[in-house]
Amino acid sequence: MAKVSCQSLARRLALLGGAAMLPWVAWPVMASSYGAGIENSQWYLTDSVFECVLVHEVPGYGRAVFRHRAGEELTFFLESEVPMMRAGRGQLVVEAPAWRPGVAPTSLGAVNVSSGRRAVDLGNREATYIARGLLKGMQPTLTRTARYGNGQVRVHLSNVNFSGQWQGYRQCVAGLLPANYDQLRRSRIPFASGSTSLSEADQRLLDNIVAFVMADPSVERVFVDGHSDSIGSRIDNRALSEERAQVVADYLKSRGIDENMLTVRAHGDQYPASRRQSENRRVNIRLQREGERPEFQQASGDSNEFAG
């Protein structure tokens, strides 16, 4: 008897009025596997002082990405233009590729899978284990139920050509800035009561801001806004907030920030950040990039109280 494929059987059943006519038919649970082979496995490194990114194209599925932003840790994500996995818990395993039989797999446990474009988004721990597996010649694999049907979707990463790009990634990480834009764009320098002195921690933060602004030409404006608590007279508080703002601005200029980039303002106790007086004695620093709308940027740095 000639062998009949599943697709051929399905077509015949459709002509007969559907599978309902043959309730005894057991449909197989199919698994769709996606991954690059030896002949087409590539890893691409994009490096800068802002972030280091390793991209691996997964044919038929999408791409796998290692990302390390300045001031943060290594992360990993899988993304696909067309979501293929059902939301829920998937299994992540580091297993041997087909050409290394006999090597026992290592389970990294369950991971969350979303139904969106970025199906998997993992933190430093899992990302590090995946990278280690690739460096050992293994094949990290994610398995999850398909979005439609009861089949399984398997996405595996190829270790071919990975180690060379990983060395470039490590060199890139060594040259990253201390912090990224999201971490610095709204910064705060706290002050003790009546004080205008910068601590060593304050100076380190300001140095990080300077390093970023000097490296990113899209930053066009640095706002420095001084504030005080409400203890004492408003005239004295205004003067104190102005002195605090000027101390910060002078430090930024001494480290290389162009004076023309700075906007220095003093608000006294006009825009409290909290009911706690200690949290109101501060200077807020805000970075503005080209194209950002300043009318939605607040001097307080804490709420929508001031948009000047």
Side-chain angles (χ1 to χ4, degrees):
M1 181 182 291
K3 294 184 179 179
V4 180
S5 68
C6 291
Q7 291 181 343
S8 177
L9 178 60
R11 286 194 295 269
R12 294 183 185 184
L13 288 174
L15 293 174
L16 292 173
M21 298 183 62
L22 295 174
W24 49 267
V25 174
W27 293 98
V29 177
M30 305 297 290
S32 299
S33 184
Y34 302 94
I38 297 177
E39 72 286 349
N40 64 346
S41 174
Q42 294 294 332
W43 290 86
Y44 303 97
L45 173 65
T46 302
D47 57 337
S48 71
V49 296
F50 304 109
E51 66 177 6
C52 309
V53 181
L54 266 175
V55 178
H56 176 57
E57 298 295 334
V58 181
Y61 176 80
R63 64 177 191 159
V65 180
F66 287 99
R67 187 186 188 196
H68 194 146
R69 295 184 72 198
E72 298 180 5
E73 295 182 313
L74 177 67
T75 60
F76 172 86
F77 60 87
L78 279 175
E79 64 180 15
S80 174
E81 293 296 334
V82 179
M84 299 183 183
M85 301 180 188
R86 188 178 302 172
R89 303 285 279 176
Q91 294 297 317
L92 184 60
V93 176
V94 175
E95 58 188 12
W99 58 87
R100 292 185 60 189
V103 180
T106 301
S107 174
L108 300 184
V111 296
N112 290 323
V113 176
S114 76
S115 58
R117 182 172 181 268
R118 184 171 294 187
V120 175
D121 203 338
L122 303 177
N124 179 256
R125 178 180 176 275
E126 293 87 354
T128 301
Y129 280 128
I130 292 172
R132 287 176 180 173
L134 290 167
L135 289 171
K136 292 179 180 179
M138 301 291 278
Q139 178 177 277
T141 302
L142 174 72
T143 304
R144 174 60 187 157
T145 305
R147 188 175 186 182
Y148 302 106
N150 296 319
Q152 299 289 307
V153 172
R154 284 170 47 87
V155 178
H156 63 81
L157 312 183
S158 171
N159 59 69
V160 177
N161 297 316
F162 176 76
S163 60
Q165 296 291 2
W166 183 257
Q167 294 305 314
Y169 155 80
R170 295 187 63 179
Q171 295 176 6
C172 175
V173 171
L176 286 174
L177 293 171
N180 60 58
Y181 185 67
D182 292 333
Q183 294 170 330
L184 297 175
R185 65 192 300 258
R186 286 180 177 272
S187 300
R188 172 187 291 201
I189 301 293
F191 288 88
S193 180
S195 173
T196 59
S197 299
L198 297 174
S199 67
E200 291 185 3
D202 298 335
Q203 292 176 3
R204 286 195 296 272
L205 173 58
L206 293 175
D207 288 340
N208 290 347
I209 291 174
V210 171
F212 187 90
V213 172
M214 301 290 281
D216 187 351
S218 71
V219 177
E220 63 180 5
R221 180 65 52 187
V222 179
F223 293 92
V224 179
D225 291 285
H227 300 269
S228 72
D229 58 32
S230 59
I231 301 173
S233 71
R234 287 207 159 184
I235 294 177
D236 290 342
N237 289 338
R238 177 60 182 265
L240 183 59
S241 68
E242 183 176 2
E243 188 174 352
R244 286 169 174 164
Q246 197 59 53
V247 164
V248 170
D250 288 343
Y251 187 91
L252 293 174
K253 287 188 291 185
S254 72
R255 292 297 190 268
I257 298 295
D258 188 343
E259 183 176 4
N260 293 325
M261 293 183 65
L262 295 171
T263 297
V264 184
R265 303 179 290 196
H267 307 285
D269 58 11
Q270 188 175 3
Y271 302 107
S274 170
R275 293 181 179 179
R276 298 178 181 178
Q277 297 286 12
S278 60
E279 295 182 7
N280 296 325
R281 300 187 289 264
R282 70 204 190 278
V283 168
N284 291 326
I285 303 156
R286 177 170 55 81
L287 308 183
Q288 179 179 298
R289 279 175 162 166
E290 296 174 2
E292 292 182 339
R293 300 180 64 182
E295 61 268 31
F296 294 128
Q297 305 289 345
Q298 291 77 41
S300 70
D302 308 293
S303 65
N304 295 330
E305 295 162 344
F306 182 81

